[in-house]
Structure formats: structure tokens, C-alpha cells
Amino acid sequence: MLFFTQCFGAVLDLIHLRFQHYKAKRVFSAAGQLVCVVNPTHSLKYAPTRCAAVQESTEQGILPPCHHHEAVHDPQLLPCTCPLFSCPWEGHLEVVVSHLRQTHRINILQGAEIVFLATDMHLPAPTDWIIMHSCLGHQFLLVLRKQEKYEGHPQFFATMMLIGTPSQANNFTYRLELNRNQRRLKWEATPRSVLECVDSVISDGDCLVLNTSLAQLFSDNGSLAIGIAITTSKVHSSEAEM
């Protein structure tokens, strides 16, 4: 009976996922956009990470203590950029993509314009939805987080991070768009580099921010569809022409 129950639950989850994907394809196929259905993951990252600890110490004007018996940290290594977990991994920027795909099983979608379909928006905070987007020869990390910035008032934060340096990120512009029931909402900005913390981007509010009532206006049966488009910035384009 236990085996049957587990198998039946897995089948129901698969049917639900296929149904969500079918609905998304039906809505967005006319625009020729690729659809990625993203299931939520409860964030396990709310133990202090090295990135958060260094940022907090810097803001307070306190440098981390130096222990002579500890190995010297390589400044070229960066912590895991996945916002879901307190992952102890460190590595060079060039291998971040392979780490995210192999260790955290994060999906990657290719195309100039895609649709990010986040399911189960009703789940309690903190919850994260995350995918990678391959476009224009670079990889981007899209993070949607449900978080209580004020107790009892959850909000949704969506941001795009370039898996590259800040100077490379300045060459691009990303657009997030919500469109449903004759309502349209757009957010356009320069992506931030993954060398910066996702947490700091969200705490600064430098991203698309939705309260629950606004998110419900654009959601469909608990799913939120976000159109994503990435282009090269006008400054970069003009420099290339010169």
C-alpha cells in the first residue's frame, strides 16, 4: 500500500506538471516563446553564508578576523551563487554554470525570449524559483523569491543576474513582463553580476517587486508567468558600430 501510494502521488505530480506546461504553451505558443515550468523550492539558505557574513561585516566597518593558522583564501574563488541552499562550494567563475547544473539540477533554457512559469505561488515564504537562461553567448540566472520583508506581508522579488563580471553585465538589458487580463507590467534594468549577492539585490529593492495582491492579479490558478527578454544595451551597440 505504501509503494502504491508513493507511485500514485508521483503520477499525480507528473500529470499536474504536464497540465501546467500545456496551459503555458497554449497561451504563449502564438508568440513563439519557449516556456519553462519552474517548481518552487523552500529556501534552506537562512543560515549565514560567507557572502552574507562578509557583506554584513563590511557594512559595520569590521573586517573578518585573520587567523594565521588558516589557509589563505583565494580571492578569485567565489561562493556558490545558487540562492536556494547554504552550499559550501567555491570555484572560479568559469565553472559556475556546470556546478549549478550538476549539483543543484537547475534547468537552462535557450532563446532570446522565454516565459518563466512559476507554479504554486501560494506556498508560504521563504520560497524560491530559479532557472538559467542562455542568450547572446552568455548565461543568466533568473531568481524569483517569495519573502517576508515585513512580518506577515510576503512579497515577490524577481531579478536577473549575469554569470559574468559587472563590466560584462553592463553590456546587457533585461526585461521582465507580466501580461494577463488586459493588464501589463514591465520591469527593465541592467542585470547584476553573480559576483554580487542575490540577497543584497533583493534587500536593496533593485528588482521587480510585487505584493501578494498584485501577484494575484497576474497569476492563473496559482501560477505566475513572467516573460523574459534580454538585449544588448544601446551604449554597447553603438560602441560596436564605431
Side-chain angles (χ1 to χ4, degrees):
M1 287 296 294
L2 179 62
F3 175 77
F4 175 78
T5 303
Q6 291 177 342
C7 290
F8 185 69
V11 170
L12 286 179
D13 291 340
L14 180 60
I15 293 175
H16 175 71
L17 181 64
R18 297 279 294 182
F19 178 68
Q20 294 287 350
H21 189 264
Y22 169 75
K23 287 201 307 178
K25 288 187 68 176
R26 184 184 61 186
V27 174
F28 296 101
S29 59
Q33 294 175 312
L34 297 174
V35 178
C36 183
V37 179
V38 185
N39 293 320
T41 301
H42 283 287
S43 180
L44 304 176
K45 193 185 173 181
Y46 291 90
T49 60
R50 184 175 67 84
C51 180
V54 171
Q55 181 184 1
E56 183 178 357
S57 299
T58 303
E59 290 175 352
Q60 296 177 355
I62 304 173
L63 294 178
C66 177
H67 300 285
H68 297 288
H69 298 288
E70 294 183 357
V72 178
H73 177 70
D74 186 350
Q76 293 184 344
L77 295 179
L78 67 150
C80 176
T81 56
C82 182
L84 302 179
F85 306 101
S86 296
C87 178
W89 179 89
E90 291 182 335
H92 293 277
L93 189 61
E94 295 78 12
V95 294
V96 169
V97 174
S98 60
H99 168 73
L100 293 176
R101 297 199 67 181
Q102 296 172 11
T103 303
H104 299 295
R105 306 295 181 186
I106 295 177
N107 294 326
I108 185 168
L109 204 62
Q110 298 184 0
E113 296 186 9
I114 64 174
V115 175
F116 178 95
L117 184 66
T119 65
D120 300 322
M121 303 293 294
H122 61 279
L123 290 178
T127 305
D128 290 301
W129 295 259
I130 180 172
I131 61 166
M132 283 192 293
H133 182 191
S134 179
C135 180
L136 301 175
H138 288 78
Q139 282 73 41
F140 300 83
L141 197 67
L142 178 68
V143 178
L144 174 65
R145 173 174 298 174
K146 184 178 184 180
Q147 178 176 314
E148 287 189 358
K149 200 165 185 180
Y150 306 101
E151 186 176 356
H153 299 280
Q155 293 177 303
F156 293 90
F157 304 86
T159 186
M160 182 75 75
M161 312 284 287
L162 172 72
I163 303 179
T165 63
S167 60
Q168 290 175 323
N170 288 332
N171 295 328
F172 298 96
T173 299
Y174 76 94
R175 185 181 73 246
L176 305 179
E177 181 175 336
L178 294 89
N179 190 354
R180 186 174 181 271
N181 292 337
Q182 299 180 346
R183 298 179 179 88
R184 178 172 295 181
L185 181 64
K186 288 184 180 181
W187 167 267
E188 188 171 289
T190 299
R192 304 280 283 271
S193 167
V194 293
L195 298 177
E196 307 176 58
C197 292
V198 175
D199 295 339
S200 64
V201 175
I202 291 177
S203 62
D204 293 342
D206 187 16
C207 55
L208 174 65
V209 182
L210 303 172
N211 57 30
T212 52
S213 60
L214 190 58
Q216 288 174 359
L217 286 176
F218 290 97
S219 64
D220 181 17
N221 292 327
S223 297
L224 186 67
I226 304 177
I228 308 169
I230 301 176
T231 58
T232 55
S233 63
K234 295 180 180 180
V235 175
H236 179 65
S237 301
S238 61
E239 290 177 352
E241 294 175 358
M242 293 176 62

